[in-house]
Amino acid sequence: LQKKQMVQKSGLLELIDTPEKLENIGGLDALKEYLKKKAKIMHQLPKAEKFGVSIPKGVFIVGMPGCGKSLCAKATASLFETPLLKLDMGSMMGKYVGESESNLRKAIKIAEAAAPCVLWIDEIEKGFSGIGGHNDILTRMFGYFLSWMQDKKSSVYVIATANNADALPPELKRRGRFDEIFCVNLPNEEERKAIFDVHISKRKNNGRKREIKKDYDFESLIEETDGFNGADIESVVNEALE
Ligand code: ADP
């Protein structure tokens, strides 16, 4: 409770209460397996440390919008059984010189006090895309963030998500900051089927689960949805039910 108040009062981080589960993500199998392995470590940190396993730093997830990046960040917090703190890059930016920088330091401090937790930096490219230009404050903030990631000893697991990694400085993608980078693409046929499964099973029919195989012509659904992302597939299911 104390942690909750501390986070809310700061105005820099948002505490997200989420019921999302890894099972409700269709596709992204490699990423899901990876997160499950990290969960094992997060669930027994003292033992892992004693054994010489380093504390997981975090993961960088890049790719097409609507493909489940945010979903993964939320599901990770459930999987790790830790709070999820969302850092909004926009709210970091203060009006006064130096304010943004101290906001970032403050936000990181709060996250460390709330550890173990997942710190989700959504659309990190929006925050750090002006680096290298004339924006000194942004460059300093970025430097601070990088060195924090590099030296991090706390169990703040950072999940950064980005729709477009081109605009991001390469330092961010270098080893030693995040443990791993995952790219998510539009779902292939099998993944689309898995996403349909998730969304159809979620919506119950008279309290009974829909009999997916009987009610749906999967073959044509999958054929027709080439180029759709997960969010598109969800709205196909919703519209069909309506
Ligand atoms: P992103 O963060 O990549 O832009 P989101 O995770 O916010 O995308 O996805 C938006 C919505 O679309 C999700 O809340 C979910 O309902 C649906 N969705 C997207 N990808 C998937 C997926 N792989 N499996 C199941 N649902 C998905």
Side-chain angles (χ1 to χ4, degrees), residues 37 62 67-68 85 88 106 124 152 154 159 174 176 189 235:
K37 267 200 272 177
V62 193
C67 287
L85 306 180
D88 175 18
K106 232 188 269 169
I124 193 172
K152 192 158 64 69
S154 61
I159 300 189
R174 216 182 289 144
E189 290 186 3
S235 46

Side-chain angles (χ1 to χ4, degrees), residues 19 22 33 46 70 82 102 109 135 150 183 187 211 225 234 236:
L22 221 55
E33 281 313 305
S70 310
T82 62
S102 76
K109 229 183 189 158
N135 195 332
Q150 183 94 39
C183 295
E211 288 204 36
T225 51
E234 184 184 17
V236 167

Side-chain angles (χ1 to χ4, degrees), residues 1-10 15 17 85 114:
L1 186 73
Q2 224 177 353
K3 284 181 183 177
K4 201 170 168 178
Q5 285 170 340
M6 176 180 70
V7 170
Q8 279 163 346
K9 251 181 35 200
S10 76
L15 185 66
D17 196 15
L85 306 180

Side-chain angles (χ1 to χ4, degrees), residues 104-216:
L104 180 64
R105 282 172 203 270
K106 232 188 269 169
I108 285 177
K109 229 183 189 158
I110 293 167
E112 295 209 306
C117 64
V118 172
L119 179 66
W120 173 25
I121 310 178
D122 192 23
E123 303 195 84
I124 193 172
E125 77 271 34
K126 292 210 173 133
F128 287 138
S129 59
I131 310 284
H134 301 293
N135 195 332
D136 289 349
I137 292 173
L138 207 58
T139 307
R140 274 209 306 275
M141 282 170 77
F142 184 62
Y144 178 76
F145 176 73
L146 284 186
S147 58
W148 174 68
M149 282 298 288
Q150 183 94 39
D151 305 332
K152 192 158 64 69
K153 298 276 183 298
S154 61
S155 49
V156 176
Y157 190 79
V158 180
I159 300 189
T161 53
N163 291 330
N164 180 1
D166 298 342
L168 283 168
E171 294 95 299
L172 197 65
K173 295 174 253 176
R174 216 182 289 144
R175 284 235 165 224
R177 272 72 195 245
F178 291 94
D179 301 318
E180 201 67 68
I181 299 175
F182 281 87
C183 295
V184 299
N185 284 314
L186 286 175
N188 64 22
E189 290 186 3
E190 215 165 286
E191 291 164 330
R192 290 203 296 281
K193 171 146 189 334
I195 299 172
F196 268 114
D197 266 344
V198 165
H199 288 288
I200 293 168
S201 319
K202 256 191 186 171
R203 289 157 185 82
K204 296 191 177 157
N205 185 18
N206 295 330
R208 206 163 37 90
K209 282 212 165 169
R210 272 173 193 279
E211 288 204 36
I212 293 166
K213 285 197 190 73
K214 234 173 25 193
D215 292 354
Y216 294 83

